[in-house]
Amino acid sequence: MAPAAPAKLPPLRDPVFLNIGFVCQWQDECIQKQQKAMKQALAYGKKAKPANWQVQFCNRRATFRRSGRIDWISYLSCIKSPKVRGSTASR
């Protein structure tokens, strides 16, 4: 007998999905793009291990209209940007 798969949270109890839903105004295509960007950003963060200041900088830049909601597409492009990854000696 195979172990049971973890239960998926209902949308109202899943803060990540709610964040993406509000940013996208519940448009399916946008939600899919945001989820893909989120997965890529998290994978990049594990692999590249950006400095704390880079993560904080990109979080501030990707915050959606002062609501505290993160636009994952903007975050991904920021964190991967060579201009943001510049040397720490210049900071």
Side-chain angles (χ1 to χ4, degrees):
M1 185 171 173
K8 190 173 181 180
L9 288 174
L12 291 177
R13 302 223 186 253
D14 185 353
V16 174
F17 183 74
L18 282 174
N19 174 47
I20 291 173
F22 285 125
V23 167
C24 288
Q25 299 176 352
W26 303 104
Q27 297 173 6
D28 289 335
E29 185 177 330
C30 177
I31 289 173
Q32 290 171 356
K33 288 179 183 179
Q34 289 285 333
Q35 288 176 329
K36 181 179 177 184
M38 178 184 69
K39 288 176 186 176
Q40 289 176 344
L42 293 173
Y44 179 81
K46 283 183 181 179
K47 181 180 139 193
K49 300 195 187 310
N52 287 341
W53 68 265
Q54 291 170 306
V55 173
Q56 292 167 0
F57 175 77
C58 290
N59 275 337
R60 282 192 300 272
R61 283 192 74 200
T63 300
F64 188 71
R65 295 183 192 157
R66 297 184 189 153
S67 66
R69 303 188 191 287
I70 299 294
D71 175 14
W72 284 100
I73 295 170
S74 297
Y75 178 82
L76 178 62
S77 65
C78 176
I79 202 73
K80 287 181 130 183
S81 172
K83 291 180 181 179
V84 175
R85 285 186 283 145
S87 71
T88 55
S90 65
R91 298 232 169 237

